[in-house]
Amino acid sequence: INDPIEPTETESIYFPPSSGTWEITTASSLEWNQDSIDAMYADLESNGTRAFMVLKNGKIVLEKYWGKTLLGTADFDADKAWYWASAAKTLTGFTVGKAEEDGYLKQSDKTSDYLGENWTSLTKEQQDKITVWHQLTMTSGLDDVRADDTSAASLKYKADAGTRWAYHNAPYTLLERVVANATDQEYNQYFNSILQDKIGMTGYWQWSGVLHLYLSNARSAARFGILMQNNGVWDGTRLLNKEYIDASTTTSQDINKAYGYLWWLNGSETYHIPQSQIEFPGMFLPDAPADVYSAMGKNGQYVSISPSNGLVIIRMGDSPDESLVPLLY
């Protein structure tokens, strides 16, 4: 695809209605190359993609579906749900930010304020160093060998909080319990009221063992992307303060500069990847714009935003390769 035309100052973001027709912008009007689009579609189909969308300032430019549903009982289409995997971490990050804005918690609060004194196997001194902020930034210092297990026995000391970055599902998953205990509401109930219902998403949370998965159709993912593209404002109504949005989508700590608050950032000079302590040089998506930030999940689940280009890109489907988080760009 040719480089998209950058938005002018007079262009505004379109917000799709909760029901009815979603407006489109044609690829030809943006002078995108149709041959390149067709070749891309062929690649996407061959690598297990189920849903692919590209939006320009909120309007659909490309939307395509392939294959079967999760259970294999029907063709996949715009109404069918797929799992977000770890891309849903950004939904939880948004929810934590709203809980802070609503006065229920602070990022600087000790996690033990909401999970109790024995939520890990650490000493009290070690545990008291872990805050909600450390959970948001993957810097809890907890040993990530048993990455998904949230039991206290599996949450062991590896380093002081804030001194080590490691992609660790367990402290992230416990953010939901932090929100529930802080708000005195079921996590799903609070999430629906402050985010899902506000922008017309139709997904749902479902436990799979110790993992809490979010499933939705691609258009629900696109709605969240539009909200983030517009800095937390949906059709004139601010749902979350811009300060938190900015903090979420910029480098949050000095260890992995490609990580915000559960968002992956493309414009940093170095990056880390899951299950590794190696620092790699350059951007992890070198062919994508530097300002891209992405919700990324196992098997290639993506909600990616390029503010300078007015683009939101959604990909859902099976893994296109054997990597933990496939980089499709």
Side-chain angles (χ1 to χ4, degrees):
I1 305 174
N2 294 335
D3 288 341
I5 301 169
E6 295 197 1
T8 66
E9 292 183 0
T10 58
E11 283 184 297
S12 59
I13 295 177
Y14 166 78
F15 298 91
S18 57
S19 61
T21 302
W22 193 316
E23 291 187 16
I24 67 169
T25 295
T26 63
S28 60
S29 72
L30 298 174
E31 299 181 359
W32 292 2
N33 186 300
Q34 188 60 49
D35 290 339
S36 296
I37 294 172
D38 292 340
M40 178 184 66
Y41 281 159
D43 287 342
L44 289 168
E45 182 176 15
S46 68
N47 69 27
T49 302
R50 293 297 187 276
F52 182 77
M53 295 184 69
V54 178
L55 296 90
K56 173 71 170 177
N57 293 325
K59 296 181 181 181
I60 296 171
V61 184
L62 305 177
E63 184 176 24
K64 192 81 169 175
Y65 300 92
W66 301 269
K68 297 291 184 180
T69 58
L70 282 168
L71 298 178
T73 56
D75 291 338
F76 202 83
D77 59 33
D79 296 323
K80 302 301 191 297
W82 196 263
Y83 58 87
W84 286 41
S86 286
K89 285 180 168 66
T90 59
L91 299 175
T92 299
F94 189 101
T95 306
V96 171
K98 187 61 177 178
E100 180 177 46
E101 182 176 274
D102 287 346
Y104 292 115
L105 58 80
K106 294 180 181 178
Q107 295 176 50
S108 58
D109 290 342
K110 295 182 296 183
T111 300
S112 56
D113 290 346
Y114 305 100
L115 300 185
E117 291 300 326
N118 299 307
W119 70 278
T120 72
S121 63
L122 278 60
T123 67
K124 186 179 189 304
E125 181 182 7
Q126 293 167 340
Q127 183 177 273
D128 281 351
K129 293 179 180 179
I130 303 174
T131 67
V132 175
W133 181 85
H134 292 115
Q135 292 175 271
L136 286 169
T137 59
M138 294 288 180
T139 57
S140 69
L142 295 167
D143 193 338
D144 54 307
V145 170
R146 299 183 68 180
D148 300 336
D149 193 339
T150 59
S151 67
S154 293
L155 298 176
K156 299 180 179 181
Y157 178 86
K158 184 74 174 182
D160 280 353
T163 65
R164 178 176 184 267
W165 186 92
Y167 194 79
H168 194 180
N169 275 333
Y172 151 73
T173 301
L174 287 169
L175 278 171
E176 296 184 4
R177 198 182 305 171
V178 167
V179 170
N181 291 341
T183 63
D184 196 26
Q185 298 179 49
E186 292 288 337
Y187 172 79
N188 295 11
Q189 177 186 355
Y190 186 67
F191 168 82
N192 288 346
S193 67
I194 62 95
L195 177 56
Q196 176 159 292
D197 296 346
K198 299 287 189 182
I199 65 174
M201 298 175 74
T202 58
Y204 58 94
W205 292 92
Q206 177 176 297
W207 284 101
S208 176
V210 296
L211 299 177
H212 205 198
L213 302 179
Y214 187 74
L215 297 92
S216 81
N217 59 30
R219 288 189 171 197
S220 285
R223 287 174 181 272
F224 182 58
I226 293 169
L227 175 67
M228 292 299 298
Q229 178 190 355
N230 204 40
N231 298 308
V233 176
W234 184 264
D235 200 13
T237 300
R238 177 161 291 285
L239 302 187
L240 183 59
N241 64 86
K242 188 175 184 297
E243 292 76 15
Y244 186 87
I245 298 289
D246 288 344
S248 298
T249 56
T250 54
T251 300
S252 59
Q253 29 65 52
D254 291 331
I255 307 168
N256 182 3
K257 295 182 179 180
Y259 209 69
Y261 289 177
L262 305 171
W263 285 91
W264 290 89
L265 318 173
N266 193 44
S268 60
E269 62 269 25
T270 58
Y271 65 95
H272 289 240
I273 61 174
Q275 299 182 346
S276 173
Q277 290 296 302
I278 298 172
E279 183 176 79
F280 296 92
M283 303 190 303
F284 64 88
L285 301 174
D287 295 327
D291 71 336
V292 167
Y293 58 93
S294 300
M296 302 200 303
K298 185 177 181 179
N299 296 332
Q301 319 311 321
Y302 286 92
V303 179
S304 294
I305 297 103
S306 175
S308 65
N309 291 287
L311 295 177
V312 172
I313 300 175
I314 309 298
R315 192 268 183 185
M316 293 177 164
D318 290 327
S319 179
D321 56 41
E322 297 304 315
S323 60
L324 183 64
V325 180
L327 302 179
L328 301 173
Y329 292 85

